[in-house]
Amino acid sequence: MMKNTPKWLLYSIYVLAVVMFFIYYLFPSDKIKNYVTTGVNRFNPNINISIDHTSPVFPPGLKLYKVNFYNMDSTLLEADQIKVVPNFLSLFRSKIIFFFKGKAYNGFFEGKGEFFKNRPEQPVVIEGKFSNIHIKEVQAVKQFIRRRMTGILEGNFTYRNSGKLGGTLKAKFIISDGDVELLNPVFKIENISFSKIEAEMTAGNHRLKINRCLINASPMDGNVSGLVNLRKPLGQSYLRLLGVIKPKPEFLEELGKDLPTNLLSEGIFNKKVVRIRIYGTLDEPRFFMD
């Protein structure tokens, strides 16, 4: 009996390997891909998704390759791959829970989601975190700010879609060691280098609310909050932002040399904190200082 054990063990391993081979290579990738894309669109008609192909993974789940998310014609996310694994016990309950992780823009993201089977009135909730994202590669950022921007992005988000009420997105993030281009130079400044931008914002109902945005930059530090009313095209989105900046002494000194003496009041150069207002559109913002 003992002599036959290795033979049966090898035979079992062989059968298992053959089964796994056929599961993997005969996996109905196109059908699963269509099911996923249709399901995402059903939860949010404004979101479309494209997937190059899929494959099974262990623990039981799916790996999606070259995944693109779109809002109408605008790209939201381009991921190299996303692995999705359901909570097995939730498959037998009304609320489905799944976990995901993936790679995008040279960085990583992971999180979990939940939704109710056959109950579209119940919210879909997705929450996650991301790290080491190279923001200059993110097409959605390029489309929104309409400027070149570099830096490393990390943070977390929560998306909640409440059926007819639409979806809301809350996010907290930090962008480190980068710079942002100014399409219309302000006081001869064409781009701003920063060590850190830290922000909290909420998006929904065609409006972006900036609850807090702290900036540590080479010429100045500051904070901004306010609203952006989103329009199409995005460049026409309207800004209503208020904040304060703390110019670095050396920056004010250089600014005073370059600008006509009557352009800014003498009091501006003596202030440690300057109030700013930003109105207009993303394409043509207007700055006011006092």
Side-chain angles (χ1 to χ4, degrees):
M1 185 71 176
M2 293 294 292
K3 293 181 179 180
N4 291 330
T5 300
K7 181 186 295 185
W8 282 106
L9 179 60
L10 290 174
Y11 181 75
S12 299
I13 293 174
Y14 171 77
V15 171
L16 180 61
V18 170
V19 170
M20 293 302 295
F21 174 86
F22 281 105
I23 288 177
Y24 189 87
Y25 284 98
L26 298 180
F27 183 74
S29 177
D30 289 340
K31 291 183 179 180
I32 296 298
K33 181 173 64 175
N34 293 336
Y35 179 81
V36 172
T37 54
T38 302
V40 169
N41 189 251
R42 186 173 67 250
F43 286 129
N44 189 335
N46 294 322
I47 302 295
N48 293 313
I49 178 176
S50 67
I51 303 169
D52 185 75
H53 66 282
T54 67
S55 68
V57 294
F58 188 85
L62 287 175
K63 183 171 284 189
L64 317 176
Y65 297 88
K66 295 183 180 179
V67 186
N68 295 329
F69 290 86
Y70 304 92
N71 180 8
M72 303 301 184
D73 296 326
S74 301
T75 302
L76 298 177
L77 173 68
E78 299 171 292
D80 301 325
Q81 60 184 47
I82 303 176
K83 180 181 177 181
V84 183
V85 177
N87 179 306
F88 183 74
L89 293 178
S90 74
L91 297 177
F92 303 97
R93 299 170 181 166
S94 60
K95 183 168 72 172
I96 302 295
I97 299 174
F98 62 93
F99 303 92
F100 62 88
K101 60 181 179 179
K103 299 179 181 179
Y105 313 113
N106 298 307
F108 305 91
F109 60 90
E110 62 179 346
K112 75 169 187 175
E114 58 183 51
F115 63 92
F116 289 83
K117 289 186 291 188
N118 302 318
R119 294 169 65 182
E121 75 282 358
Q122 294 296 321
V124 176
V125 180
I126 300 175
E127 56 186 27
K129 58 183 180 179
F130 44 89
S131 61
N132 200 45
I133 302 294
H134 290 228
I135 199 166
K136 69 178 181 180
E137 306 293 339
V138 183
Q139 189 64 29
V141 173
K142 296 178 186 178
Q143 292 173 343
F144 181 72
I145 68 172
R146 324 282 284 185
R147 291 150 181 81
R148 179 186 58 80
M149 187 176 190
T150 66
I152 303 300
L153 173 68
E154 62 179 295
N156 59 73
F157 68 91
T158 299
Y159 172 79
R160 178 182 293 269
N161 188 327
S162 301
K164 294 181 179 180
L165 298 178
T168 58
L169 175 68
K170 294 183 179 180
K172 297 181 181 180
F173 60 84
I174 295 174
I175 308 171
S176 305
D177 302 322
D179 66 74
V180 59
E181 174 189 22
L182 301 179
L183 291 187
N184 298 311
V186 180
F187 305 139
K188 296 188 177 182
I189 302 174
E190 296 182 351
N191 65 287
I192 295 178
S193 298
F194 57 86
S195 58
K196 183 171 70 171
I197 296 177
E198 184 175 353
E200 296 180 16
M201 55 184 61
T202 304
N205 195 27
H206 305 292
R207 190 165 70 169
L208 175 66
K209 182 179 181 182
I210 301 173
N211 303 306
R212 182 175 69 100
C213 181
L214 305 179
I215 304 169
N216 300 123
S218 54
M220 64 193 76
D221 297 332
N223 67 76
V224 175
S225 61
L227 296 174
V228 181
N229 290 317
L230 302 175
R231 299 174 179 172
K232 286 197 171 185
L234 276 174
Q236 295 302 307
S237 297
Y238 193 77
L239 307 170
R240 289 185 293 163
L241 305 176
L242 301 174
V244 297
I245 58 174
K246 299 178 182 179
K248 305 288 177 66
E250 57 272 20
F251 168 69
L252 285 179
E253 183 178 344
E254 292 299 318
L255 189 63
K257 294 177 182 178
D258 293 337
L259 294 178
T261 55
N262 62 346
L263 185 59
L264 292 176
S265 66
E266 185 66 27
I268 288 289
F269 295 96
N270 296 324
K271 287 184 176 182
K272 293 184 178 180
V273 176
V274 178
R275 291 186 299 173
I276 62 170
R277 293 167 289 150
I278 305 174
Y279 297 102
T281 65
L282 280 173
D283 282 347
E284 297 183 359
R286 292 176 290 155
F287 295 84
F288 302 89
M289 302 173 64
D290 55 46

